[in-house]
Amino acid sequence: MIAMTTATLTSKGQITIPKEIREQLLLHAGDKLDFSLTEAGDVLLRPVTRRVDEVFGRLRKPGQPALTPAEMDVAIHQQMKKSAT
């Protein structure tokens, strides 16, 4: 799905990224973003890739039991099998 929204540039050169875009990119306060200008004049906005220790625990949901690395591997492999079929 392609999202298209507008934002207003402030006198200080700041914008608020619309909620729909923040949610799609899993952005949170303090996240870093890269802006690139293409030859066609389009601007690309990309979240900066983070190290695992910077996002550790972000995906945990309240009440969800913690998984061991081995349990995570099993879940990943199961999901990959589902996606392949």
Side-chain angles (χ1 to χ4, degrees):
M1 168 180 21
I2 295 176
M4 187 169 176
T5 60
T6 59
T8 302
L9 184 67
T10 69
S11 61
K12 293 183 178 184
Q14 299 171 336
I15 62 167
T16 298
I17 299 170
K19 182 179 180 182
E20 298 83 20
I21 303 298
R22 293 192 317 263
E23 288 175 347
Q24 286 290 317
L25 296 177
L26 303 174
L27 296 175
H28 300 280
D31 285 351
K32 304 256 186 238
L33 304 168
D34 278 335
F35 292 85
S36 301
L37 187 60
T38 68
E39 288 183 22
D42 296 322
V43 176
L44 303 177
L45 175 137
R46 292 188 181 120
V48 174
T49 304
R50 296 177 170 208
R51 296 183 321 227
V52 132
D53 58 335
E54 292 176 323
V55 296
F56 182 76
R58 182 170 278 183
L59 299 178
R60 186 177 179 281
K61 296 177 184 167
Q64 180 183 24
L67 298 176
T68 66
E71 291 169 324
M72 287 183 230
D73 285 343
V74 169
I76 291 167
H77 289 304
Q78 289 173 343
Q79 189 60 42
M80 289 173 64
K81 284 181 184 178
K82 285 182 191 177
S83 297
T85 58

